[in-house]
Amino acid sequence: MKNKAVLVLGARSDMARAIALAFAQAGHRIQLAARNADNLSGDRDDIALRHNVDVTIHDFDVLDTPSFDGFIQALPELPHIVICAVGLMGEQEENARDMTAASRVMRSNFEGPALILSEFANRFESRGSGTLVGISSVAGDRGRATNYIYGSSKAGFTAFLSGLRNRLAKKGVHVVTVLPGFVATKMTEGMDLPEKLTAAPEEVATAVRRAVEVKRNVIYTRPIWRLVMFIIRAIPESIFKKLNI
């Protein structure tokens, strides 16, 4: 599967850039989308020069849902693969006390990504082919005191992707859920992350490309996360609420 158009939403993040590079290396045309897309011109030129593929940049605001149809219509072609790497963590203390901040986190991680992928899902279903990839989070596997605003929005996104995959299973459209675990990016810079549980952006990118190629459904970047989250989900609520993690 080469020479397909791959759209990366939220293309400014370290993880998204690594994903774009991974697909460009495999010979795919790349569409980079983010707010203030002109700032992506350096990434566009770098990816195109490295891998000799066509790369275009496009303005996209995940919170501006009325613009979604026009955004898709303006793309040079309907992509075959759409990867949604949009996300916003915010600060839990601020999110818990400021409804505006909490709403922005929830909309950035769930509402916007779900609605833009829905728009592509309908078009892919009509065409009878395509792949949708959503970057969710292990934080959505169980609510925790330290990030439940972010985690709950990712939980919603994970459930949405599961339902979308079920809906499109017989329509020629595949849906991949990516649960990266900890990733060493600008967003996590300064955090004390365990080395064995922390992936590099390039590691996530390779896992995503492989998942698309072999049609995986749900992937954790590092397999150890399956065990970690199984244990966390298995802790009784009466005990879990005392841990305050």
Side-chain angles (χ1 to χ4, degrees):
M1 185 180 66
K2 293 186 177 182
N3 200 29
K4 302 286 188 181
V6 178
L7 170 64
V8 181
L9 301 168
R12 188 166 289 108
S13 72
D14 295 337
M15 190 160 47
R17 184 177 186 278
I19 290 170
L21 279 165
F23 279 91
Q25 185 179 33
H28 297 290
R29 300 185 300 281
I30 305 297
Q31 302 167 351
L32 302 174
R35 289 181 298 169
N36 303 315
D38 287 344
N39 294 333
L40 294 171
S41 58
D43 289 334
R44 174 196 60 200
D45 296 344
D46 178 55
I47 295 170
L49 181 62
R50 284 198 201 193
H51 300 297
N52 193 30
V53 296
D54 291 333
V55 184
T56 55
I57 56 177
H58 309 275
D59 274 306
F60 173 71
D61 185 348
V62 77
L63 300 182
D64 186 11
T65 54
S67 73
F68 287 178
D69 183 67
F71 163 74
I72 297 173
Q73 294 292 341
L75 292 173
E77 61 180 306
L78 184 65
H80 188 80
I81 302 165
V82 175
I83 300 162
C84 185
V86 176
L88 176 65
M89 184 175 292
E91 296 291 338
Q92 173 59 36
E93 289 190 9
E94 180 185 14
N95 295 337
R97 291 169 173 77
D98 185 335
M99 286 193 299
T100 300
S103 175
R104 188 163 180 259
V105 170
M106 291 177 175
R107 294 186 63 214
S108 296
N109 292 306
F110 175 48
E111 181 189 83
L115 291 178
I116 188 63
L117 290 186
S118 292
E119 290 288 334
F120 281 107
N122 293 338
R123 289 165 172 78
F124 285 9
E125 183 178 11
S126 295
R127 185 177 61 188
S129 66
T131 301
L132 301 168
V133 180
I135 310 293
S136 192
S137 173
V138 296
D141 283 8
R142 187 164 191 179
R144 296 168 53 226
T146 54
N147 68 351
Y148 65 84
I149 299 296
Y150 171 78
S152 63
S153 60
K154 286 297 190 180
F157 190 44
T158 296
F160 166 81
L161 293 168
S162 177
L164 191 65
R165 181 164 46 248
N166 185 269
R167 168 195 154 191
L168 298 173
K170 297 181 180 180
K171 304 294 184 178
V173 181
H174 186 55
V175 179
V176 182
T177 303
V178 181
L179 305 169
F182 299 137
V183 184
T185 65
K186 293 184 184 73
M187 188 171 70
T188 59
E189 191 173 358
M191 295 183 180
D192 185 18
L193 302 178
E195 183 178 347
K196 290 186 177 181
L197 296 177
T198 305
E202 294 76 15
E203 191 176 345
V204 178
T206 299
V208 169
R209 192 181 75 185
R210 180 63 177 161
V212 170
E213 291 171 349
V214 303
K215 295 188 179 299
R216 295 281 300 279
N217 295 314
V218 180
I219 65 166
Y220 292 84
T221 303
R222 293 194 171 183
I224 191 174
W225 274 106
R226 288 188 180 274
L227 175 61
V228 170
M229 298 316 300
F230 174 80
I231 293 171
I232 289 177
R233 288 193 301 268
I235 299 173
E237 191 70 16
S238 59
I239 297 174
F240 192 74
K241 67 182 182 181
K242 296 177 183 178
L243 299 177
N244 196 34
I245 58 176

